[in-house]
Amino acid sequence: MINLISRTISQISSLLKGLQIKGFLAVVIVGFLVLTTNVSDGQNDKGLKERVREQVEQNDAQRPKTVGQWFKDARETEGSPGERLQKIGQQSGEAFKEFGSGYVEGAQKTASDVGDSAVQTGKKILN
């Protein structure tokens, strides 16, 4: 009788190992989560395009802001490399000026944050 029970248990365990229950349960749980989670990929957000466009057009720089504008500008000056080089120089200057102003603003904000953190740390030490 004990031999029969142990053989039955071993057959059931080998069957369960053959089915790979853990992997099956993992797939079932992931499938359940995917099917029951309401995830929006942003396609219905019609305001997103306008917000991105506003961000791109935010500065008043005369240089191209998109790849399409860059290629259009290149086609317009295709026959005269001197004019093209002059435009590239002007646009690069504008870009560096814009980058420099952003760098200065970022550095000032960082310095302010570091100063505030030092003051807070000093107060914590004194307390």
Side-chain angles (χ1 to χ4, degrees), residues 24-117:
F24 178 72
L25 287 176
V27 169
V28 168
I29 290 172
V30 169
F32 178 75
L33 288 174
V34 168
L35 292 174
T36 59
T37 305
N38 186 10
V39 178
S40 173
D41 59 358
Q43 290 179 350
N44 296 332
D45 188 6
K46 296 184 191 242
L48 179 62
K49 291 179 184 177
E50 286 80 20
R51 289 195 311 260
V52 169
R53 176 72 57 195
E54 287 173 10
Q55 287 291 341
V56 168
E57 300 293 333
Q58 187 174 10
N59 60 2
D60 294 335
Q62 296 300 316
R63 60 188 176 87
K65 296 173 185 74
T66 64
V67 175
Q69 291 173 349
W70 180 265
F71 285 134
K72 179 183 172 206
D73 194 27
R75 282 191 300 272
E76 289 174 356
T77 58
E78 190 173 7
S80 57
E83 184 182 346
R84 181 72 185 135
L85 286 174
Q86 183 181 7
K87 277 191 166 188
I88 289 173
Q90 290 171 347
Q91 293 166 357
S92 298
E94 286 182 26
F96 282 122
K97 184 174 80 174
E98 199 174 305
F99 172 76
S101 67
Y103 181 77
V104 169
E105 291 171 10
Q108 289 172 345
K109 174 113 173 82
T110 302
S112 173
D113 290 347
V114 167
D116 293 343
S117 295

